[in-house]
């Protein structure tokens, strides 16, 4: 089967083109993966290959090629790569790391209902409480002329939201301890995944930091599970539901180990990704005052001077467009890895069984065949009439196919409520005229802090 994209008609060549030197590729990919992959795409096109110490990698950039892997032939491309095996060292066997098969389907059946609209609606009250407290604190800081470190503030906020909404955890010291440990694990694991020469079992200084942080994270998760076991009431959070949910086919509930793995992913992904997106949103709005004013005009029209509620989210069309365009430019799932179970053909090139497949959503979201001025910040691309004309495979901020992120509606609701509450109260300006590039770790955060001022609106 051949999947064609912007590379044109299927070719007879058996191996995708790419650089020869494994050492140079390894160093460049470790040092700056976004720049390195971008340079390869410019040189070799939408299907290419390069070598790492562990294997030869085939890189896909065309949305139709990625759709082929994630949707059309998903069964032939399991999540059974070295990258996923390494991620399981961090997250365990949760939905984000299980390759597939019966175990994955069972976990999906157990977790999916927890993120249905009705449950997100119940958790939105927790979101609004934390957001309200944070906005009051920011109001005090703004009145004193304080400069805010955007990513630090957003990480604190989103972790509090997730800890409260998903697990009724609002003990500041425990939440802070978890955040510090996750930050350290993120850094160490990201560096290792790009240069996995020394196994994690070897006690290098970096690996010791990783395992020490993992133990601290596990302690917090064990605490919330033990607390719920000791007092099994429905607190209106996700954990209460997960512990009561039974598999429709087997009648079984999740074990403590399964709960631990799912909670870990949700705590990490639920705050890390949203914090980064919100950081990039404020950075872009501060640099594009016209867009910021348009959002505020929509908020004034739809909210009429009051704070947003869950029911308002569907009305905030342009505000949602700003979030979507930000996730296009800075996708948090910026990299994807798959392996090839059986021989296949993509873009005219033979893909043998056992090949590691890599795709960068960051570059998929910039494909010039699908996006005019792909580097420009233009939220109007996502207005309903524009989005309806676009190939849906060109935009995948939460993944695609069977492994689409189950928490996407939770994350979007959290971001909309925070952004609406913030911009209703403040104008956002940069405290320094800085240009900030993304830093590709497990997620895609800023390479440096982004200092902003919040100016109270009259």
């Amino acid at each position: 089967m051949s999947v064609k994209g912007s590379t044109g008609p299927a070719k007879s060549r058996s191996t995708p083109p790419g650089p020869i030197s494994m050492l140079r590729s390894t160093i460049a990919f470790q040092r700056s993966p976004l720049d390195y992959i971008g340079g390869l795409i410019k040189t070799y096109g939408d299907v290419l290959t390069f070598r790492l110490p562990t294997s030869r990698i085939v890189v896909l950039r065309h949305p139709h090629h990625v759709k082929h892997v994630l949707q059309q032939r998903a069964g032939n491309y399991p999540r059974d790569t070295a990258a996923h095996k390494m991620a399981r060292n961090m997250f365990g066997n949760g939905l984000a790391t299980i390759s597939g098969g019966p175990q994955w389907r069972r976990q999906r059946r157990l977790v999916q209902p927890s993120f249905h609209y009705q449950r997100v609606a119940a958790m939105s009250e927790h979101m609004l409480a934390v957001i309200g407290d944070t906005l009051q604190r920011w109001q005090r800081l703004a009145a004193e002329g304080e400069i805010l470190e955007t990513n630090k503030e957003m990480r604190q906020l989103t972790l509090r939201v997730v800890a409260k909404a998903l697990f009724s955890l609002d003990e500041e010291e425990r939440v802070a301890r978890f955040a510090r440990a996750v930050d350290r694990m993120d850094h160490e694991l990201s560096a290792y995944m790009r240069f996995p020469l020394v196994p994690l079992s070897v006690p290098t200084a970096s690996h010791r930091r990783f395992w020490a942080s993992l133990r601290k994270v596990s302690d917090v998760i064990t605490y919330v599970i033990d607390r719920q076991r000791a007092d099994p009431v429905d607190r209106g959070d996700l954990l209460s539901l997960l512990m009561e949910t039974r598999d429709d086919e087997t009648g079984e509930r999740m074990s403590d180990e399964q709960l631990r793995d799912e909670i870990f992913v949700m705590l990490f992904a639920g705050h890390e990704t949203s914090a980064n997106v919100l950081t990039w949103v404020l950075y872009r709005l501060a640099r594009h005052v016209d867009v910021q004013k348009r959002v505020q005009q929509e908020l004034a029209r739809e909210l009429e001077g009051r704070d947003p509620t869950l029911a308002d989210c569907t009305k905030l069309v342009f505000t949602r467009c700003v979030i979507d365009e930000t996730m296009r430019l800075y996708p948090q799932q910026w990299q994807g890895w798959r392996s090839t179970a059986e021989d296949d053909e993509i873009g005219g090139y033979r893909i043998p069984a056992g090949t590691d497949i890599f795709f960068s959503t960051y570059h998929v979201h910039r494909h010039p065949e699908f996006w005019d001025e792909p580097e420009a910040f233009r939220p109007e691309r996502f207005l309903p009439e524009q989005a309806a004309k676009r190939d849906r495979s060109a935009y995948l901020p939460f993944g695609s196919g069977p492994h689409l992120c189950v928490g996407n509606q939770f994350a979007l609701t959290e971001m909309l409520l925070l952004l609406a509450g913030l911009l209703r109260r403040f104008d956002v300006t940069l405290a320094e005229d800085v240009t900030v590039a993304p830093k590709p770790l497990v997620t895609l955060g800023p390479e440096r802090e982004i200092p902003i001022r919040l100016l109270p609106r009259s």
Side-chain angles (χ1 to χ4, degrees):
M1 179 178 182
S2 175
V3 181
K4 302 177 185 179
S6 61
T7 52
K11 304 175 179 65
S12 59
R13 297 166 61 186
S14 61
T15 303
I20 296 173
S21 173
M22 181 269 286
L23 180 60
R24 290 180 182 176
S25 292
T26 301
I27 293 172
F29 188 64
Q30 164 73 4
R31 182 178 296 156
S32 183
L34 294 180
D35 292 339
Y36 179 61
I37 295 299
L40 292 182
I41 289 168
K42 288 180 181 179
T43 302
Y44 300 106
D46 283 342
V47 185
L48 60 99
T49 187
F50 72 95
R51 286 198 62 84
L52 293 178
T54 51
S55 64
R56 179 180 292 277
I57 312 297
V58 169
V59 178
L60 305 179
R61 192 271 186 108
H62 196 281
H64 292 173
H65 298 160
V66 177
K67 180 180 179 180
H68 175 79
V69 168
L70 297 185
Q71 295 185 37
Q72 295 168 334
R73 293 212 64 201
N76 191 48
Y77 293 94
R79 298 190 299 180
D80 191 25
T81 66
H84 283 98
K85 292 172 184 175
M86 286 184 279
R88 281 194 284 273
N89 282 312
M90 181 171 180
F91 296 118
N93 289 305
L95 280 178
T97 55
I98 299 173
S99 297
Q103 182 186 7
W104 178 85
R105 288 191 291 272
R106 176 183 179 275
Q107 283 297 97
R108 184 84 179 196
R109 287 197 305 270
L110 288 169
V111 173
Q112 183 76 55
S114 303
F115 289 98
H116 287 170
Y117 178 81
Q118 292 84 352
R119 200 69 187 188
V120 172
M123 290 188 286
S124 70
E125 297 304 315
H126 293 301
M127 294 182 196
L128 289 167
V130 175
I131 289 170
D133 289 345
T134 301
L135 290 173
Q136 287 183 11
R137 184 172 68 84
W138 288 348
Q139 208 144 16
R140 292 193 297 271
L141 294 175
E144 297 167 1
E146 291 286 337
I147 294 174
L148 299 185
E149 295 180 322
T150 313
N151 198 236
K152 177 182 177 182
E153 290 288 339
M154 291 304 169
R155 290 169 74 88
Q156 290 176 353
L157 167 64
T158 57
L159 182 55
R160 287 185 62 210
V161 167
V162 169
K164 181 69 173 175
L166 301 189
F167 316 109
S168 298
L169 181 64
D170 52 11
E171 301 165 36
E172 295 292 341
E173 193 278 330
R174 287 186 195 276
V175 172
R177 191 189 320 158
F178 180 90
R180 290 192 297 270
V182 166
D183 285 347
R184 172 52 59 187
M185 290 178 66
D186 185 3
H187 177 81
E188 302 297 346
L189 190 68
S190 296
Y192 177 71
M193 288 175 71
R194 292 200 297 272
F195 201 65
L197 291 183
V198 181
L200 281 171
S201 57
V202 177
T204 66
S206 173
H207 296 172
R208 287 197 301 271
R209 290 192 295 268
F210 170 81
W211 291 115
S213 299
L214 178 60
R215 286 191 293 273
K216 292 176 183 177
V217 169
S218 296
D219 287 346
V220 175
I221 294 171
T222 299
Y223 168 78
V224 296
I225 293 175
D226 289 347
R227 185 191 62 178
Q228 183 66 23
R229 292 278 189 220
D231 185 17
V233 298
D234 187 351
R235 294 177 167 85
D237 57 18
L238 178 74
L239 180 59
S240 299
L241 182 61
L242 285 178
M243 293 181 76
E244 292 301 316
T245 299
R246 293 181 181 272
D247 188 327
D248 291 338
E249 295 184 7
T250 66
E252 295 178 349
R253 291 176 174 161
M254 285 193 203
S255 67
D256 280 3
E257 182 179 359
Q258 290 167 328
L259 283 168
R260 178 257 179 217
D261 293 344
E262 295 301 343
I263 288 170
F264 193 176
V265 172
M266 291 171 193
L267 273 169
F268 176 82
H271 95 277
E272 177 93 2
T273 58
S274 295
N276 286 339
V277 172
L278 287 166
T279 297
W280 289 121
V281 166
L282 295 190
Y283 171 69
R284 284 293 182 167
L285 290 177
R287 295 185 68 88
H288 297 83
V289 178
D290 56 330
V291 176
Q292 184 175 165
K293 295 302 181 187
R294 186 170 174 181
V295 171
Q296 290 169 329
Q297 289 167 3
E298 178 177 73
L299 296 176
R301 183 174 64 251
E302 298 296 341
L303 300 181
E304 298 180 330
R306 59 179 173 78
D307 283 328
T309 66
L310 180 66
D312 296 310
C313 287
T314 56
K315 305 173 188 175
L316 304 179
V317 176
F318 188 72
T319 308
R320 168 65 188 271
C321 289
V322 169
I323 294 172
D324 284 335
E325 175 70 342
T326 303
M327 291 192 296
R328 182 186 71 83
L329 289 170
Y330 308 101
Q332 293 306 296
Q333 294 186 21
W334 69 271
Q335 61 177 330
W337 295 86
R338 295 292 188 273
S339 62
T340 309
E342 299 177 357
D343 290 358
D344 200 358
E345 186 177 317
I346 298 178
Y349 296 104
R350 187 174 69 86
I351 310 296
T355 300
D356 281 344
I357 303 292
F358 175 86
F359 60 92
S360 167
T361 309
Y362 180 89
H363 296 98
V364 171
H365 283 181
R366 287 164 165 76
H367 199 295
E369 186 179 327
F370 298 84
W371 305 97
D372 295 331
E373 297 183 279
E375 293 293 341
F377 179 67
R378 288 171 35 196
E380 61 272 14
R381 303 176 200 269
F382 288 92
L383 289 170
E385 60 272 20
Q386 297 297 320
K389 302 174 186 177
R390 188 174 53 249
D391 189 322
R392 294 179 64 184
S393 66
Y395 183 62
L396 50 157
F398 293 102
S400 180
H403 295 284
L404 181 72
C405 175
V406 295
N408 58 351
Q409 288 305 314
F410 179 94
L412 286 168
T413 299
E414 174 190 13
M415 290 188 286
L416 271 169
L417 291 173
L418 183 277
L419 190 59
L422 175 67
L423 292 180
R424 192 182 75 77
R425 288 173 169 81
F426 305 104
D427 291 326
V428 180
T429 64
L430 289 173
E432 302 173 22
D433 185 15
V434 293
T435 300
V436 182
K439 183 177 182 179
L441 297 175
V442 174
T443 55
L444 204 60
E447 65 177 353
R448 53 157 293 177
E449 260 300 351
I450 302 173
I452 61 168
R453 292 186 188 276
L454 299 181
L455 306 178
R457 307 189 73 214
S458 56

